[in-house]
Amino acid sequence: MDHRLEKILHEFAKGTGRLTVLTGAGISAESNIPTFRGPEGYWTIGSKEYQPQEMATYQMFAQKPDEVWRWYLYRLGVCKRALPNPGHHALVEMEALFKNRFTLITQNVDNLHIRAGNSLDRTFQIHGNVFFMRCIKECRRNVFPVPEALTGKEKNDPLTGQDRQWLLCPDCGNRTRPHVLWFDEIYNEHYYRYHSALKVARETELLMVVGTSGATNLPNQVVWEVKQRNGIIMDINIEKNPFSHAALSSEQGFFIQQPGGKALPDMVRCFKTAGS
Ligand code: APR
């Protein structure tokens, strides 16, 4: 590991500053979940292929609710069969090491951070979670687990009448929708911890960005908040991206061009040797 990086990690571990980790689909790539902008992302309806950016919209749900649910239930099945990888486990160790100095902000809806053991209190799921659903009318703004009976769907499974019954709001009987942020929607605090994420960013001394292409709004605001206060920014990615440029143009910035499953365990080992 770069000696300058090791020194900064040791100093951070011995200090009292806040560590914020911002993750994207790249951290789950090693768990065999296709990244969002990777080639596997498309979905076919009839003879037409749709990109995620077309499927993951309120507009598409309004027109084809069953097709959108089929796509999400298929993705839920992929996520359920996936396992957390060493990158996820390393973040659980970081939370155990730093406790209230630690916050995880994730764009991933695959639930792997929670399954690995990160706490719901310190994990801000800013794009929602595919294992949950909510009332399309937002009758009581509650979020419900997707019924277990629907979590084993295969790619070409149709939606049955019974499935549609299970996808009704338990409070008011209207349709439910996946509890995820769609491309034609905006962040908010209630469902996506929007203000909490920005507040944490303003208090962050060390920001680790892992496996994200920097394409979305709130993550860019988080990185900018830390950068403009000269916080330490480490971008972990297998290729250069806007966040690696943001890190490298910072006074204390690092671009670690490695998979998260390798770089994150190395960082945990470095934190643990800080005292010695
Ligand atoms: N380790 C680290 N980074 C990786 C790895 C890996 N093993 N494999 C891929 N990556 C990187 C890619 O280089 C890319 O920069 O992960 C990033 C994945 O980028 P995207 O697929 O765009 O995913 P993400 O940045 O999470 O997308 C953000 O946009 O599409 C919306 O809501 C959706 O949550 C998603 C958000």
Side-chain angles (χ1 to χ4, degrees):
M1 179 183 284
D2 172 308
H3 179 65
R4 198 167 62 92
L5 171 59
E6 192 173 37
K7 185 169 180 293
I8 282 198
L9 292 175
H10 279 171
E11 281 168 9
F12 174 82
K14 287 183 283 190
T16 58
R18 176 182 281 281
L19 164 62
T20 299
V21 181
L22 169 64
T23 62
I27 196 170
S28 295
E30 293 161 79
S31 296
N32 300 315
I33 295 181
T35 58
F36 224 88
R37 289 169 179 75
E40 319 84 352
Y42 70 88
W43 184 253
T44 306
I45 302 177
S47 57
K48 187 173 182 328
E49 285 182 357
Y50 291 85
Q51 289 305 316
Q53 286 80 342
E54 299 171 276
M55 289 298 293
T57 60
Y58 189 94
Q59 185 189 10
M60 181 64 93
F61 187 82
Q63 291 164 9
K64 300 176 187 297
D66 285 1
E67 284 303 330
V68 172
W69 260 121
R70 284 186 59 234
W71 181 54
Y72 276 97
L73 291 175
Y74 159 64
R75 289 178 60 205
L76 185 159
V78 171
C79 296
K80 187 178 177 185
R81 289 188 292 275
L83 292 174
N85 65 60
H88 294 103
H89 295 307
L91 296 186
V92 176
E93 288 195 77
M94 285 190 203
E95 178 173 1
L97 278 173
F98 298 116
K99 297 181 178 57
N100 283 339
R101 292 173 58 192
F102 175 93
T103 302
L104 172 56
I105 297 173
T106 187
Q107 301 171 85
N108 300 340
V109 297
D110 58 33
N111 203 44
L112 285 181
H113 286 305
I114 302 302
R115 275 177 59 196
N118 281 111
S119 68
L120 277 173
D121 281 352
R122 300 191 189 111
T123 303
F124 297 174
Q125 300 176 85
I126 62 172
H127 290 173
N129 184 320
V130 76
F131 287 83
F132 290 83
M133 63 189 197
R134 62 185 206 242
C135 179
I136 194 68
K137 300 288 187 196
E138 300 195 13
C139 64
R140 292 171 57 185
R141 304 196 84 199
N142 291 335
V143 173
F144 311 96
V146 171
E148 183 65 29
L150 290 175
T151 63
K153 286 278 184 191
E154 296 295 337
K155 188 158 194 164
N156 300 315
D157 285 352
L159 218 53
T160 66
Q162 175 57 70
D163 295 342
R164 287 190 192 86
Q165 282 300 315
W166 279 323
L167 290 173
L168 296 179
C169 173
D171 291 335
C172 73
N174 274 298
R175 272 189 181 280
T176 59
R177 51 160 291 169
H179 171 52
V180 296
L181 178 65
W182 281 330
F183 282 94
D184 53 358
E185 295 185 309
I186 55 173
Y187 293 101
N188 62 44
E189 177 64 18
H190 180 75
Y191 290 128
Y192 308 114
R193 309 293 301 270
Y194 176 72
H195 298 295
S196 301
L198 289 177
K199 180 176 182 301
V200 159
R202 284 191 283 271
E203 299 161 359
T204 292
E205 179 181 315
L206 169 54
L207 177 66
M208 284 185 191
V209 183
V210 189
T212 179
S213 62
T216 48
N217 175 292
L218 182 50
N220 271 284
Q221 289 189 62
V222 167
V223 172
W224 187 83
E225 281 289 352
V226 179
K227 183 176 170 65
Q228 59 111 19
R229 282 184 302 99
N230 289 324
I232 308 162
I233 301 178
M234 297 176 182
D235 182 60
I236 299 169
N237 200 310
I238 56 173
E239 61 189 16
K240 281 194 181 295
N241 65 86
F243 290 150
S244 55
H245 298 308
L248 294 173
S249 62
S250 302
E251 274 178 42
Q252 301 182 91
F254 298 84
F255 171 46
I256 297 106
Q257 190 158 6
Q258 291 176 8
K262 158 94 177 64
L264 290 169
D266 285 350
M267 293 194 171
V268 169
R269 279 188 287 275
C270 188
F271 281 138
K272 286 181 174 176
T273 58
S276 50

